[in-house]
Amino acid sequence: MRPPIIAGNWKMNCLLNEAADLAAGIRKLLDGFDGVEVVVCPPFTALPAVRQTLNGSRIKLGGQDMHWEPKGAFTGEVSPTMLKDTGCTHVIIGHSERRHILGETNDMVNRKLKAALANDLTPIVCVGELLEERQMKVTREVVEKHVTKAFDGIAAKDAERAVVAYEPVWAIGTGLTATPTQAQEIHHFARNILTRLYNEATAQRIRILYGGSVKPDNIRTLMAEKDVDGALVGGASLKAADFNAIARYKE
Ligand code: PGA
């Protein structure tokens, strides 16, 4: 019912030639593969080069962030229309590195989510707790706040086009992965919040990805959980072979 998504977040990595090589490597391994929806999110500078490399393949392109306004005096920002112009169909919103390193607020995440939906981009909106928050046993409160504020003022018919990524911050880039049970617990909790905000049918349509040290050797058990609908992959998405193995977790 919910087609799985495997999305690669390249973060601030890859010069143009490296990005084109990585995209070519991924294309070679995943061209024609239709087992899951595959998305790659290179840095802005590499979007046109990666698009060219992926042209005609099923692999989709996403931005790592965007501003909510269509254009104007916002030095350094990239608009939804600019992302679409480079061939993006997806955009990551509210990644924890943006929230915690660059000061992105829930209000900004909400505006970006609305702008992505209004521009027909599929938003992958990231939520998740810091290590201290998990230790203080406030994980659910944090996730509830992230989800509720992100979706504030968004109608059900639009919300169902969004994708949520649960990314516990303590698991990102650390090699520590949430156990499948820990992931399922929060995914189920997040889906219940969406049911409360909207209704059962809408919540059942929204895909909830897991992110945080996803690797070829842990993807299968994570994906076996009922409410895990895919993965947002950082480090392992920079190696074509690993990303391919993750996307082909069913094989
Ligand atoms: P990681 O990053 O796979 O390197 O932990 C995931 C993410 O930040 O999206």
Side-chain angles (χ1 to χ4, degrees):
M1 172 176 183
R2 294 186 294 270
I5 302 181
I6 299 294
N9 174 9
W10 296 5
K11 307 194 180 183
M12 196 171 72
N13 295 294
C14 294
L15 300 179
L16 285 180
N17 60 338
E18 295 165 327
D21 284 354
L22 178 55
I26 290 171
R27 177 173 190 158
K28 197 164 157 224
L29 294 168
L30 284 170
D31 210 11
F33 172 70
D34 61 359
V36 301
E37 203 173 310
V38 177
V39 185
V40 293
C41 305
F44 294 139
T45 48
L47 284 170
V50 172
R51 185 208 179 157
Q52 203 174 15
T53 308
L54 297 179
N55 236 350
S57 81
R58 291 173 184 272
I59 302 162
K60 295 180 178 157
L61 194 61
Q64 296 178 14
D65 179 39
M66 60 169 214
H67 196 269
W68 54 85
E69 292 290 344
K71 63 178 180 182
F74 301 98
T75 303
E77 294 295 313
V78 165
S79 73
T81 30
M82 288 170 180
L83 288 186
K84 291 193 74 172
D85 198 32
T86 60
C88 287
T89 50
H90 291 65
V91 59
I92 299 171
I93 286 175
H95 189 278
S96 64
E97 285 147 18
R98 299 209 59 82
R99 291 179 188 261
H100 301 295
I101 305 172
L102 295 154
E104 196 158 304
T105 62
N106 282 317
D107 176 58
M108 290 158 83
V109 171
N110 175 246
R111 288 174 194 232
K112 291 178 180 192
L113 186 51
K114 285 176 177 159
L117 291 166
N119 283 279
D120 253 329
L121 284 160
T122 300
I124 302 175
V125 57
C126 304
V127 304
E129 81 287 4
L130 295 162
L131 178 61
E132 306 87 274
E133 292 166 336
R134 178 158 283 260
Q135 287 166 339
M136 282 158 56
K137 303 200 185 310
V138 293
T139 297
R140 287 174 175 240
E141 284 83 343
V142 172
V143 170
E144 178 162 12
K145 193 166 178 186
H146 283 171
V147 173
T148 309
K149 298 223 166 199
F151 282 89
D152 186 40
I154 295 172
K157 68 170 191 349
D158 296 321
E160 67 181 44
R161 290 188 284 122
V163 175
V164 173
Y166 169 56
E167 298 207 304
V169 181
W170 49 270
I172 295 179
T174 57
L176 288 174
T177 319
T179 64
T181 310
Q182 285 172 324
Q184 169 59 25
E185 182 203 337
I186 302 302
H187 283 229
H188 181 68
F189 174 72
R191 202 177 304 285
N192 281 345
I193 295 168
L194 293 166
T195 304
R196 200 187 67 211
L197 293 177
Y198 298 106
N199 52 60
E200 176 78 23
T202 302
Q204 286 299 328
R205 277 189 212 114
I206 298 176
R207 286 166 294 177
I208 306 179
L209 315 185
Y210 168 79
S213 298
V214 171
K215 301 277 181 304
D217 64 3
N218 58 29
I219 183 69
R220 203 181 301 238
T221 50
L222 286 160
M223 289 304 296
E225 297 293 338
K226 194 163 147 274
D227 289 290
V228 178
D229 306 316
L232 181 55
V233 186
S237 74
L238 295 171
K239 290 188 195 127
D242 284 0
F243 190 60
N244 173 57
I246 291 170
R248 293 179 186 271
Y249 66 91
K250 286 184 206 156
E251 293 177 4

